[in-house]
Amino acid sequence: MQLNAEQRRVVECDGHCLVVACPGSGKTRVITTKIGALLKRHQRSRIVAVTFTRESAGELTHRVTEEIGETLFNAACRIGTFHSLCIRQLRNHNRLGKVAGPGEQIMFVKRAMALAAPGMAWDEATGIIEKAKGSLGTNAAQESDLYRAYAELLAKHRVCDLYDVIRDSVRLMRTGEIKPYPAKFLLIDEFQDTDEIQLQWALEHAKAGTNVTVVGDDDQSIYGWRGALGYGGMQQFLDATKGEHITLGLNYRCHAEVLGAADLVIQNNSARIDKSLVAARGPGGAVRVSRHANREFEAEACVAHIEEDAKALPEGAHPLFTKTVRDGSWAVLCRNRRHLDRVEKYLQRWGIQCYRPPKESFWSRAPQNVLLALLASLDSSSTSGFDGAIEHALSMSVKGAAARLALKHLHDQVQDFGAFRHGTVTIDYDKFMPEEAKIIADFASRVPAWRRNVEAGRYNMVIRAVADWFASFEDSEEQADDVRSAGETLCRLRGNLSMRVNALTSASNDAKGKPKGVQLHTMHGSKGLEFDKVWIIAAEASTIPSPKASDFEEERRLMYVAMTRAKNWLMISSIITETISPFVVETGINTDLGVAA
């Protein structure tokens, strides 16, 4: 790629530099080229580059190695996340204690939630901990019961977490007990996502004589809820280093219609670096708004539009899908992941291949995942599905502490849950409240009959019966319909129960692990991606901005990120029973439309 004038300025800058990289401005290519150019101009210099994820570090390592060769890369470059670089830095100075691994850290968070914040959402809990850990001083998050419980668990087990290693690195650099990385140049990508500690880590290197280049876009700062500084952090960097300020405003991704609509939205934010966006591809795209009678019509209209671009898969290529779309051609985005469930179900019902991050999928949440586990246990030697099914039924019926106590009484009596499969389980029902005893006895009587039908190959009969049983515990008819719909999807598959469960839980990826078909993402999850066509659903005032969000301007940035994922075509839809999102009004598109079927 030939560099434009502003990209060349970035590559040729040797001193401190803030690069404001707008969406689709080719920032990764610029970073890669800059590293190669610096090593040519400053031979025998060392360069450190920082990314926010291991995947990004791996991708940048691959690109830089291709640019400069493996020998020079190994001799002169180090690329990693803040966490991995700080761990190495502390280890090199023999100042690294025992660090909890990712799995341990998740366990500690979950235990802290159980102790101090039962019922809190995972994202909220991790956001509180990240905010508490992302500051050198004191902050309100550190006073929360959740954080205190988490900190006590770490102290009890004499471990630190991945947040602590950055704090320790900054603290020990300031006291002179450890040295900054001995690098002439430091580059940091996605700088708008840095928190206070990460900013101070960068500035400690600048104080030590390292030339620091930071690359980011304050308009794409969408993690303020977990301590990201965004615009404020970028300004602090400029104030502290007096570095050169370069804006990459030429967008190579979006047609002018898409970029223009997104620009009209983001210009309403007050806390932002002023910039001018230009679509290098010029006009030729389209932005549309549609209104629908209800969620079902909205999802159906979306999938019908996608089907127009779908092509048949080779017969037998996939157990669930018969059609697909070209890779990178389609994405459906939403502020709230649960609104994507309906689109996922419709795509599966129509046989159109789709990908959704495993933790967000319709099938990853109760009761669907518990349903899958029970079906697998009916068809294998596994017993976890029986335990999980009873736990779910109790938690939905008697709820809370009573459900947990009933489950404990059951575990005290039943050592082998496989006895449910054969109808040989013995339970003293006098130990339970009447409602609890009724649920357990009913389940114990159903399982042997389900198992006999499985042995006879009557799989669809079992699936529908199990789905109906789960649906009977749901709080609303809509949720009950979701469970029955899940059962019908399973009925359309071939093979025994285990084969069908595996077909649903295996990700829709190619041989290299890249997503295939239509991609379904939350707005947060879409960052860094791009597609020919994007459909944003549920664009209502009750969803985007989220009523739970404390920062209205961050919600606007989130909408901006979602809109700029589209290269050629963008649809923004909502339902007529809700007020349209103010951000859609800000696009300047005529929203006074009739109902779309």
Side-chain angles (χ1 to χ4, degrees):
M1 181 183 86
Q2 188 175 2
L3 300 179
N4 63 41
E6 296 308 306
Q7 291 172 331
R8 281 197 303 273
R9 282 183 61 199
V10 175
V11 170
E12 293 168 0
C13 179
D14 283 350
H16 299 312
C17 183
L18 167 68
V19 182
V20 180
C22 301
S25 60
K27 71 180 180 70
T28 304
R29 177 60 181 161
V30 171
I31 292 171
T32 303
T33 304
K34 182 178 176 73
I35 291 174
L38 286 172
L39 290 175
K40 288 178 182 177
R41 294 198 298 271
H42 304 273
Q43 296 180 13
R44 293 183 295 278
S45 294
R46 289 189 61 80
I47 294 178
V48 173
V50 186
T51 66
F52 268 82
T53 66
R54 286 180 295 176
E55 293 77 14
S56 297
E59 177 64 20
L60 186 57
T61 296
H62 173 73
R63 292 200 187 193
V64 173
T65 302
E66 283 191 333
E67 179 83 13
I68 66 175
E70 189 171 353
T71 300
L72 182 55
F73 177 85
N74 291 336
C77 295
R78 184 170 304 284
I79 298 175
T81 63
F82 277 106
H83 299 130
S84 66
L85 290 169
C86 288
I87 285 172
R88 180 179 289 271
Q89 186 184 17
L90 292 169
R91 183 179 288 131
N92 287 344
H93 290 85
N94 199 29
R95 298 302 301 265
L96 183 68
K98 183 182 177 185
V99 182
E104 285 182 289
Q105 195 166 314
I106 290 171
M107 178 192 69
F108 285 132
V109 174
K110 287 185 174 179
R111 287 180 61 185
M113 290 169 67
L115 288 168
M120 180 180 288
W122 172 261
D123 286 349
E124 183 181 356
T126 54
I128 289 172
I129 291 171
E130 288 189 34
K131 248 185 177 173
K133 294 273 190 175
S135 172
L136 282 171
T138 58
N139 59 41
Q142 294 167 1
E143 300 301 317
S144 71
D145 291 340
L146 172 72
Y147 175 71
R148 287 176 173 172
Y150 177 73
E152 287 171 5
L153 285 168
L154 293 181
K156 179 180 179 180
H157 291 271
R158 297 181 180 177
V159 297
C160 64
D161 63 13
L162 293 175
Y163 309 114
D164 288 323
V165 296
I166 309 178
R167 293 166 60 90
D168 289 346
S169 175
V170 172
R171 178 175 57 81
L172 295 173
M173 281 193 290
R174 286 184 168 181
T175 61
E177 294 173 72
I178 69 171
K179 301 282 188 187
Y181 268 94
K184 186 174 180 64
F185 300 100
L186 170 66
L187 292 89
I188 303 176
D189 193 14
E190 301 290 355
F191 191 72
Q192 76 278 349
D193 293 337
T194 54
D195 59 27
E196 182 186 339
I197 297 287
Q198 292 159 341
L199 169 64
Q200 295 305 320
W201 188 86
L203 293 180
E204 287 301 315
H205 282 79
K207 292 175 187 175
T210 300
N211 295 297
V212 183
T213 295
V214 300
V215 184
D217 182 7
D218 55 306
D219 287 337
Q220 297 184 73
S221 178
I222 56 176
Y223 297 109
W225 51 274
R226 67 185 191 196
L229 296 175
Y231 167 77
M234 297 172 84
Q235 285 294 339
Q236 286 184 58
F237 175 82
L238 271 183
D239 292 342
T241 63
K242 311 302 181 189
E244 189 170 356
H245 174 187
I246 304 172
T247 297
L248 303 181
L250 194 56
N251 178 299
Y252 294 94
R253 175 191 301 157
C254 310
H255 273 300
E257 293 81 358
V258 175
L259 187 64
D263 191 28
L264 285 173
V265 173
I266 201 62
Q267 284 184 23
N268 288 280
N269 271 6
S270 58
R272 66 187 293 262
I273 296 171
D274 188 38
K275 55 188 74 77
S276 177
L277 303 183
V278 178
R281 297 177 66 201
V287 181
R288 302 282 186 267
V289 170
S290 62
R291 299 276 275 163
H292 304 268
N294 55 42
R295 293 277 177 234
E296 294 293 334
F297 285 151
E298 181 184 37
E300 191 168 5
C302 175
V303 175
H305 213 96
I306 292 169
E307 191 182 39
E308 294 177 5
D309 291 340
K311 306 295 182 184
L313 282 168
E315 188 173 352
H318 196 281
L320 179 59
F321 305 120
T322 58
K323 292 168 281 190
T324 192
V325 297
R326 183 173 49 81
D327 294 349
S329 63
W330 262 104
V332 183
L333 310 180
C334 188
R335 175 66 175 86
N336 185 332
R337 69 178 184 176
R338 289 194 176 274
H339 285 314
L340 291 168
D341 290 351
R342 194 169 280 101
V343 177
E344 182 181 10
K345 288 188 296 180
Y346 267 101
L347 286 166
Q348 291 178 349
R349 187 179 301 171
W350 290 23
I352 301 173
Q353 188 174 30
C354 60
Y355 168 84
R356 195 171 180 189
K359 291 182 180 179
E360 294 182 3
S361 173
F362 167 76
W363 297 97
S364 69
R365 299 190 295 278
Q368 291 84 236
N369 64 335
V370 188
L371 166 67
L372 295 179
L374 176 56
L375 292 174
S377 288
L378 289 170
D379 197 30
S380 67
S381 60
S382 169
T383 61
S384 60
F386 303 131
D387 189 10
I390 295 174
E391 180 178 2
H392 179 75
L394 288 171
S395 66
M396 293 297 292
S397 299
V398 296
K399 303 184 185 300
R404 293 193 291 273
L405 182 60
L407 196 65
K408 180 182 183 302
H409 289 326
L410 184 64
H411 285 167
D412 289 342
Q413 294 188 47
V414 180
Q415 304 304 314
D416 178 15
F417 273 75
F420 278 98
R421 181 186 289 113
H422 309 294
T424 57
V425 66
T426 302
I427 300 171
D428 180 3
Y429 289 108
D430 290 339
K431 298 286 186 181
F432 301 91
M433 298 295 289
E435 179 65 16
E436 299 163 357
K438 180 182 177 182
I439 290 169
I440 298 169
D442 175 64
F443 182 76
S445 68
R446 290 172 184 266
V447 171
W450 290 338
R451 177 60 188 164
R452 287 193 295 272
N453 280 311
V454 170
E455 292 174 339
R458 293 189 281 267
Y459 300 125
N460 285 1
M461 179 185 294
V462 174
I463 290 169
R464 290 190 175 103
V466 172
D468 283 341
W469 184 78
F470 273 102
S472 69
F473 296 104
E474 291 304 305
D475 292 330
S476 72
E477 191 56 39
E478 181 180 0
Q479 291 171 318
D481 286 343
D482 281 349
V483 182
R484 295 188 185 98
S485 176
E488 290 306 311
T489 298
L490 283 158
C491 286
R492 291 195 295 106
L493 300 178
R494 295 179 180 179
N496 60 33
L497 297 183
S498 295
M499 293 168 63
R500 300 185 195 204
V501 169
N502 289 336
L504 279 173
T505 54
S506 59
S508 184
N509 295 335
D510 64 13
K512 295 182 179 180
K514 294 183 178 179
K516 302 284 288 183
V518 182
Q519 293 196 39
L520 309 178
H521 293 280
T522 62
M523 291 180 175
H524 281 99
S526 72
K527 190 168 179 293
L529 305 177
E530 60 180 41
F531 307 92
D532 293 337
K533 296 182 177 181
V534 169
W535 189 307
I536 299 174
I537 63 169
E540 295 109 23
S542 58
T543 302
I544 177 73
S546 167
K548 295 181 180 180
S550 58
D551 187 342
F552 188 85
E553 293 204 348
E554 180 160 310
E555 291 294 294
R556 184 181 279 115
R557 292 194 291 270
L558 192 55
M559 187 68 172
Y560 172 75
V561 166
M563 293 176 69
T564 53
R565 300 312 95 195
K567 296 162 67 175
N568 305 327
W569 184 92
L570 174 65
M571 174 68 82
I572 308 175
S573 65
S574 55
I575 60 174
I576 61 172
T577 53
E578 297 280 350
T579 303
I580 198 165
S581 168
F583 306 143
V584 180
V585 177
E586 291 170 357
T587 64
I589 306 166
N590 180 16
T591 58
D592 186 20
L593 301 174
V595 178

